[in-house]
Amino acid sequence: MVIVRIALVAPLIESVPPQRYGGTERVVSYLNEALIELGHDVTLYASGDSRTHASLVAVIPRNLRGDGREGAWPIWTTLMLERVFRDAERGAFDLIHFHVDMLHYPLARRCRTPCVTTLHGRQDLPGLAALYQHFADLPLVSISDSQREPLPHANWLATIHHGLPLNLYRYHPQAQNYFCFVGRISPEKRVDRAIEIAIGCNVPLKIAAKVDNADRAYFEQRIRPLLPHPLIEYLGEIGEEEKNDVIGNARALLFPIDWPEPFGLVAVEALACGTPVISYPCGAVPEILRHGIDSFIVHDQEQAISMARNIEQIARANCRASFEQRFSVATMAERYLDVYRTLIRRPADAVQEHWNGRQDPHRQQVVRRRHLGEERAESASPQE
């Protein structure tokens, strides 16, 4: 086996793994540990309170959310990227894998070390089409096919679904009499729908979710008035082990989203526990869940309440089997290694010229002029 020297670059908002909420940092942690277990040399760029078996490079001692400095992320991410590319210049890595959106793109384009970026968020926001038209040469990985739809001409190398360690969540063959909603309270996550479903079924609902500052007004005005209902229990934000119990003992995870969900990690966490999911078919949901096997995918609240009342039709063993067959961290790591090896085998200039020639003629001319300059310099050098 050829050992690959990999730099993983994580967001600084949360630690790796996060202490509570944080999907991107959680996936980076799972991938990081799986790559090390496979024998590869990993350097993790993350906050100093991260827990890892990799070589940890930290530009801040603690995650920004823990210090209440989320708004300062561009400053500290810029400093982290300076360190990443400085280390790359001295040949520290075979490949750099970014999980920090787009701030690194101008530097990645000029870096001799192969770079790849996994996009974790929605890609239908204003301006992104223009951005990826300009950076059409940069290799990208999507976390679902659905995530790609707004950017069909971007340089997608692969779709790689998130994976979890097989022993992270325990299988719960028996459920208690409640539903759960886990994640984040925001307009697009639709906890209000979850509350309506639970009340319509006369089944208790446990809400384990954080509230970001950006969603505080929505929470106070629209959600808090719904919480005093006797069937509703608001737990706040919870960690990994608490999720194991809250999700695992639930009759179903309610996931009635109303946005183009790029993946939906909590749905896979539910499957790992053996807990079926009730969801609307937004974004990646039809890729991740299988209606009638591990979930019910619904189109309105009347249907959601009807399916929730009959959730026992979904065998909990099927949910766990779906997770093991499709969403293991080992599968995720092997698929990323395929991407890494492909990029490492292809010379950086050849990759750039291929994509620039196909989508950006001006950039093609720049690369060709650089090549001509290098060839002339070589021809002018004294022969030994």
Side-chain angles (χ1 to χ4, degrees), residues 13 22 27 33 79 95 124 126-127 182 218 241 245 251-252 296 312 316 325 327 351 354:
I13 297 293
V27 171
E33 299 302 322
L79 291 171
L95 180 133
D124 61 342
V182 178
Y218 166 78
E241 184 56 35
D245 292 331
R251 291 174 61 183
F296 285 133
E312 281 71 25
R316 296 177 74 88
Q325 294 163 6
F327 300 110
V351 174
H354 168 75

Side-chain angles (χ1 to χ4, degrees), residues 6 53 62 71 88 133 151 154 183 187 211 225 231 238 262 291 316 325 343 354 373:
I6 305 156
H53 290 98
R62 190 173 179 221
Q133 182 178 10
L151 302 172
V211 181
L231 287 173
I238 61 175
H291 177 76
R316 296 177 74 88
Q325 294 163 6
L343 289 171
H354 168 75

